[in-house]
Amino acid sequence: MTNTEFKKQVAEGIPSELPAIKLYDKNINHAPKRKDILNDNEKHLAIKNALRYFPEKFHSVLAGEFAHELKTYGRIYMYRFRPDYEIKARKIDDFPYKSRSAAAIMMMISNNLDIAVAQHPHELITYGGNGAVFQNWAQYRLTMKYLSEMTDEQTLVIYSGHPLGIFPSQKFAPRLVVTNGMVIPNYSSQDNWEKFNALGVSQYGQMTAGSYMYIGPQGIVHGTTITILNAARIISRSVNRPGIKLFVSSGLGGMSGAQPKAASIAGLISVIAEVNPKALKTRHSQGWVDEIFQDLDKLITRLRYLIDNKTVTSIGYEGNIVDLWEKLTEENIYVDLGSDQTSLHNPWSGGYYPAGLSFDESNRMLSENPERFKDEVRKSLRRQVEAINKHTAGGTYFFDYGNAFLLEASRAGGDILKKDGDFKYPSYVQDIIGPMCFDYGFGPFRWVCCSNKASDLNATDDIALNILLKLIKESPDEITQQLKDNIQWIREAGKNNLVVGSQARILYADARGRMEIASAFNKAIADGIVSAPVVIGRDHHDVSGTDSPYRETSNIYDGSKFTADMAVQNVIGDSFRGATWVSLHNGGGVGWGEVINGGFGMVLDGSSESETKLRNMLHWDVNNGIARRSWARNKEAMFTLRKEMERTPGLKVTIPYIADDKIIDEALS
Ligand SMILES: NC(=O)c1ccc[n+]([C@@H]2O[C@H](COP(=O)([O-])OP(=O)(O)OC[C@H]3O[C@@H](n4cnc5c(N)ncnc54)[C@H](O)[C@@H]3O)[C@@H](O)[C@H]2O)c1
């Protein structure tokens, strides 16, 4: 297809004639059938809702088709309206536009739905099983049309994938404001989500799916490497055990699949259990898992050899994590680090496969006897906890990986709570990412080169490296380790071949680092060293973007971890400080109703306006969270904030006085 024809089709929106029916492509990875949750009246409503995207003349044909989709797939995706052109990572100027910022957004949407990037591209799901960019193809088509025709004096508004419309605004305002899954808190249960989504009125946008900021597996490989590296440092400090370290966990799926690769980068042996043979094969063929075993006895023999010979290797075990933990107990193998990355944010619909059942048996039971399936999941979680407890009694450091393992294990009645009701084990944010990264402002800064050229990415890698090398010379000791890790990462980033889809990169940086790197990119664009604009952003797993009591804000101890002011304020503040787009989500990572998170995207085009915006917005985007973490008495955040106030005129933040617990205890006695 020529670029002119592509532009014409992108700008077309809902076609004036019905396009031909699209065959269900069995070669594509499709979303599983969703729960049949609507009653007859609600099914009627869902179809009526879907038909409002189309002129009346199409209704008699489409009503039957949508009823069939609802029955067969549990959702109305409007497959017929999937465009004929290939949706893939492209360069910015391939798109039709009046606003170049809007073209950058089209570029980011297209990357999120690229077949090589998205998990279920035809159901518009980018990752995490249910992380949606849009609910249906009509929303996609309309959004692309609006973006292609809007100007820099309008703002597009998207409600959970639905483009409400473009509204007059002004040049400095965001070009796009997205909300996903924003429902009244009392209606924010898992079943409510299934229902609203089936009705076509809400969606789960995960973090970077519904905010158009996904950059494929690279983001998660980097985050997981940082986590495992720092976890290994914690145990090296507390346990004086020589020799190579062993990491055990589960899941080789979308994000969890990064674990073996990250463990190898961090210099550990890893064994990761995965019940789905397809997922295991994919990771093995990518080289992210070195060896695979189905037989636990053979695995143990190999593992002993690797430990004795101090050989960094990653092993995938095709089987259940519960069986793996129990076998490791039986064989008395010392595990240094343990975690879990089954999809427990979604425990009842295939996120967690119970022990004692094969993968196929589980899938059958899931649709034929969902209540029995739930019982099996609970039983399995109790067994898993029991096995993990035996290891931790011997010294293993176990942490929750933000997948709601501790939460669901406790709900299942597992022996996972201390006497005071707290979990026995920390989340990875409590011990690792919170105090070592977030409280200093380090978080997942990322960028995408709008030329889609590897040469631009190389140029930006060099720029970022030089900035970090400059900053490390001037930085306090407290943050040199984080800077060193990221210098090492960015030096190797090109060699790791992690780009899938758009030419994108990630690293962890603090407020100053993010501002300096973005500013240097902007200058390089102005000087022609980088050939086209660069989009900067982050995932929502960050210092300020996310309120999630068992994950990002699990190291907040002043009782405010169940509040969401920080994430909401973050999006509001970013929007009037220069973000090109902002997004606010219910759900993401740990599940619907469990988290509020916000993100942004900003187009740097080499202009002086971009320079003003990036400085203004990135400063807030990081320091909002540091100020909140400081108010929660986190000492690393108090340190960072004091330094920031010395550096930044106009910044004046309320600092807590620290009360002596003895005084309070005496007052209460
Ligand atoms: N905190 C973070 O930064 C972070 C990072 C990555 C993932 N997560 C969380 O981790 C979870 C996994 O994410 P994902 O994208 O990899 O999901 P995914 O669904 O793609 O992968 C999970 C894998 O676990 C496997 N699995 C399920 N039950 C199992 C069992 N009992 N034994 C062995 N394997 C089993 C599944 O077959 C699947 O392949 C999610 O809940 C996600 O939110 C958090």
Side-chain angles (χ1 to χ4, degrees), residues 163-229:
L164 190 70
I166 39 183
F167 292 75
S169 65
Q170 40 108 345
K171 207 163 173 242
F172 196 83
R175 297 281 68 80
L176 169 68
V177 176
V178 177
T179 48
N180 278 303
M182 285 290 128
V183 297
I184 305 300
N186 273 349
Y187 300 86
S188 194
S189 70
Q190 181 74 18
D191 272 355
N192 285 138
W193 166 63
E194 297 275 1
K195 187 164 134 177
F196 299 143
N197 191 229
L199 284 173
V201 296
S202 193
Q203 77 172 12
Y204 190 73
Q206 273 280 8
M207 288 191 162
T208 52
S211 66
Y212 325 140
M213 200 37 87
Y214 191 67
I215 56 163
Q218 182 182 175
I220 199 67
V221 171
H222 175 262
T224 311
T225 306
I226 294 286
T227 305
I228 295 178
L229 265 177

Side-chain angles (χ1 to χ4, degrees), residues 254-256 274-275 320-321 341-343 345 353 401 403 428 589:
M255 297 191 276
S256 48
E274 169 57 65
V275 283
N320 203 291
I321 182 65
Q341 269 203 51
T342 53
S343 273
H345 69 272
Y353 285 83
Y401 214 136
N403 60 339
Y428 73 113

